[in-house]
Amino acid sequence: MTTKMKYEKIIKIVQDKLTCSAHNLDHVFRVYNLCLLLAKYEKDVDLEVLIPASLLHDIARVEESEDKTGKIDHAVLGSVVAENILRKLEYEEEQIKAIKHCIITHRFRTGNEPKTIEAKILFDADKLDVIGASGIARTFMLAGQFGQRLTVNDSLDEYIQANTVQNGRLKDVSKHTPFIEYEVKFKKVPNKLYTEKAKEIGRERLEFMDQYFNRLKAEIKGSK
């Protein structure tokens, strides 16, 4: 089986599996394209590891979204699901190991540290897609999908204590809001990135996002 055929099979599996509005094949392809962009600025990147990792990184996202306990981590479960897929596609064991590392470490809230350049690029690419204009669009797609309210939360500490578990994973996504996500995640993204090109892009995207959420907050409060 050629590499191209393997990618086509992976894409079909991902397309059938991912039904979340903001974590669908469109998101996967944006991350894939960002991975290829960032890879151009780094040395010795193994695309045969990076590409399948980018395509499979959210393969268990639906399971996490449907879990009300907050116990399922899609990065951890996704590495297991991906291993089964990759083995059926006859990937070599070392490649499987490297791809699994990329997937299990791509999660912002998981706490597993990316060690390889491929894992760092995937982490950065995935995070870049949650900020900027695309990040705003995805945030409100999720808000609509899970029935989130458009409110400005004042007691952030109380919310975090009540609706998150270890590493900040959510118990009930419907109780989340775009503003909470902006405060607890988006603002921190550029400082969490690994590659210099991603940091450059991240700073620019966050500046745009800051302007948007400040404007939205003012409009909600009736001061604009």
Side-chain angles (χ1 to χ4, degrees):
M1 186 184 301
T2 65
T3 300
K4 181 180 178 181
M5 291 173 63
K6 289 179 180 179
Y7 293 163
E8 289 173 349
K9 287 183 178 295
I10 290 173
I11 291 169
K12 182 62 170 64
I13 292 169
V14 172
Q15 183 176 23
D16 293 341
K17 180 80 170 174
L18 292 186
T19 56
C20 297
S21 61
H23 297 97
N24 55 15
L25 195 60
D26 294 333
H27 163 66
V28 169
F29 281 147
R30 289 195 301 271
V31 171
Y32 161 80
N33 286 326
L34 281 167
C35 281
L36 294 184
L37 172 64
L38 297 179
K40 293 179 181 178
Y41 295 87
E42 302 297 327
K43 296 179 180 179
D44 301 321
V45 179
D46 188 344
L47 293 181
E48 292 191 14
V49 168
L50 181 59
I51 290 175
S54 68
L55 296 175
L56 287 166
H57 77 279
D58 269 349
I59 193 67
R61 189 75 209 203
V62 172
E63 285 86 344
E64 180 179 311
S65 297
E66 293 176 348
D67 173 37
K68 296 296 184 181
T69 68
K71 293 180 180 179
I72 293 179
D73 184 329
H74 78 273
V76 176
L77 178 59
S79 69
V80 177
V81 176
E83 179 178 2
N84 294 330
I85 294 170
L86 294 168
R87 189 156 284 121
K88 288 178 181 178
L89 293 175
E90 299 180 344
Y91 273 81
E92 296 178 1
E93 290 302 314
E94 284 302 310
Q95 286 181 313
I96 293 175
K97 182 179 178 181
I99 294 167
K100 284 184 64 180
H101 173 71
C102 292
I103 294 171
I104 204 170
T105 61
H106 89 273
R107 182 80 192 276
F108 187 82
R109 295 182 173 111
T110 294
N112 293 314
E113 188 81 12
K115 302 297 184 183
T116 65
I117 187 57
E118 294 81 17
K120 291 175 181 178
I121 288 174
L122 176 58
F123 180 96
D124 286 1
D126 188 53
K127 300 307 150 295
L128 287 176
D129 196 50
V130 306
I131 57 177
S134 62
I136 291 171
R138 291 182 64 220
T139 299
F140 286 97
M141 289 170 70
L142 280 171
Q145 178 181 341
F146 292 103
Q148 297 174 6
R149 297 180 63 197
L150 187 57
T151 58
V152 180
N153 299 74
D154 296 322
S155 54
L156 188 60
D157 290 339
E158 291 181 10
Y159 167 83
I160 292 173
Q161 185 175 0
N163 198 44
T164 62
V165 293
Q166 185 181 11
N167 290 318
R169 295 198 304 277
L170 303 178
K171 293 180 182 178
D172 188 345
V173 181
S174 68
K175 294 180 180 179
H176 209 54
T177 73
F179 281 103
I180 293 174
E181 190 74 345
Y182 168 68
E183 291 294 337
V184 302
K185 182 176 181 179
F186 299 150
K187 284 184 174 182
K188 302 175 183 178
V189 167
N191 290 333
K192 294 284 186 178
L193 302 177
Y194 291 92
T195 64
E196 289 305 315
K197 188 62 179 179
K199 291 176 182 178
E200 176 188 330
I201 296 171
R203 287 190 292 268
E204 181 181 346
R205 290 192 178 198
L206 185 61
E207 183 179 349
F208 174 82
M209 194 170 238
D210 288 341
Q211 294 172 356
Y212 174 83
F213 274 101
N214 287 333
R215 171 83 187 202
L216 181 60
K217 184 182 293 186
E219 291 184 8
I220 288 174
K221 291 183 175 180
S223 59
K224 283 284 187 179

